[in-house]
Amino acid sequence: MTMIDLNSDLGESYGQWKMGDDAAMLAIVSSVNVACGFHAGDPAGILKTLQAAKTNHVTVGAHVAYPDIVGFGRRNMDVASDELTADVIYQIGALKGLAAAVGVPVSYVKPHGALYNTIAYDERQGLAVIEGILAIDKNLVLVGLAGSNILKLAQQKGLRTIAEAFADRAYTSQGTLVSRREKGSVLHDGKLIAERMLQLVTHGVIPAIDGTLTHIEADSICVHGDSPGAVEMARVLRATLEQAGITIKSFA
């Protein structure tokens, strides 16, 4: 592989509460998952992030979530299918409106947090999300966890999909993410993260938390914008990949 997308979850500040450094991260990544107000983000902040994305020529995606601002969208919810579909339509529609005002297209959808993890293997909720995307824009791409069932399900329904890996997260030997509740689930060493992702891009494998190698096929790498030292980690990762001759470019 000579090309890879780097994406980050941004637009998550809310009122006086600030999350991450969107301006700095947008100078590094090639795609941005913009919060839609359900787990984080207010209209003014989202608009500012979209404007910065346009300035940096970064592809925009809708970061849809459960309606859970207090829990930052990381709490599991048993939402009825019709409600979840409507929630997805509402969030994409809101972001499309703000993006149109800025003059940038919304090219893809990446679910956030608990919703992302749930639909990876929960077919009912996964179908509800897919139906929401199809209802508003059949040309949108769905970004999901590499190796998960949601990607196959979406493809069967006619959606283009992109498999994603996480730079700062530990993996099990089965290729799934280690729960955030477990020790060592989140990585903080920028150099180690860069080495792991270079191995993934060039060889399709990364070390699992038990020391074995796990196979991961991904077209996009997420660098979380809300972790300590996120910007510096992203810089090191991009520099390491580019030094190895890998082009950073959005899948869209």
Side-chain angles (χ1 to χ4, degrees), residues 169-170 178-179 182-187 209:
R169 293 294 302 278
V178 175
S179 170
E182 296 185 27
K183 183 179 179 181
S185 63
V186 180
L187 309 177
I209 197 166

Side-chain angles (χ1 to χ4, degrees), residues 9-251:
D9 307 339
L10 303 178
E12 294 179 325
S13 296
Y14 196 89
Q16 296 303 306
W17 181 73
K18 302 300 179 184
M19 170 67 82
D21 187 342
D22 287 13
M25 193 64 81
L26 283 166
I28 302 169
V29 299
S30 47
S31 298
V32 56
N33 321 309
V34 183
C36 300
F38 267 40
H39 77 282
D42 60 58
I46 293 170
L47 193 63
K48 185 176 180 181
T49 298
L50 289 168
Q51 290 166 338
K54 181 180 181 180
T55 298
N56 287 276
H57 306 289
V58 175
T59 299
V60 171
H63 204 31
V64 301
Y66 287 131
D68 180 28
I69 290 177
V70 173
F72 198 63
R74 288 179 175 163
R75 298 184 292 189
N76 293 325
M77 291 188 172
D78 185 17
V79 182
S81 296
D82 59 341
E83 292 181 13
L84 185 53
T85 296
D87 284 349
V88 169
I89 295 170
Y90 184 93
Q91 291 176 80
I92 297 172
L95 189 68
K96 274 179 169 283
L98 290 168
V102 172
V104 295
V106 175
S107 301
Y108 67 94
V109 176
K110 176 188 166 182
H112 164 81
L115 179 60
Y116 181 98
N117 293 327
T118 296
I119 68 169
Y121 302 103
D122 185 317
E123 185 170 319
R124 181 188 68 78
Q125 290 203 35
L127 282 171
V129 170
I130 290 168
E131 290 303 318
I133 296 170
L134 289 171
I136 192 166
D137 187 347
K138 294 179 174 62
N139 294 315
L140 290 170
V141 179
L142 175 64
V143 175
L145 183 65
S148 64
N149 292 334
I150 187 64
L151 300 179
K152 297 176 183 177
L153 193 61
Q155 290 163 11
Q156 291 170 2
K157 294 295 181 178
L159 280 180
R160 181 187 166 201
T161 62
I162 288 294
E164 176 184 43
F166 288 84
D168 60 352
R169 293 294 302 278
Y171 279 80
T172 68
S173 57
Q174 289 75 43
T176 59
L177 296 176
V178 175
S179 170
R180 284 181 177 270
R181 301 183 186 91
E182 296 185 27
K183 183 179 179 181
S185 63
V186 180
L187 309 177
H188 302 285
D189 185 326
K191 184 178 180 181
L192 173 63
I193 288 171
E195 290 173 350
R196 284 165 59 87
M197 291 301 100
L198 178 59
Q199 188 173 12
L200 181 144
V201 175
T202 55
H203 299 293
V205 296
I206 57 171
I209 197 166
D210 64 1
T212 61
L213 290 178
T214 185
H215 183 70
I216 304 286
E217 289 186 12
D219 303 297
S220 183
I221 296 172
C222 178
V223 285
H224 281 119
D226 61 342
S227 56
V231 172
E232 184 56 31
M233 282 190 287
R235 284 198 185 105
V236 171
L237 172 58
R238 177 162 186 150
T240 299
L241 293 174
E242 289 182 329
Q243 286 167 10
I246 297 162
T247 300
I248 307 302
K249 184 177 180 180
S250 173
F251 54 81

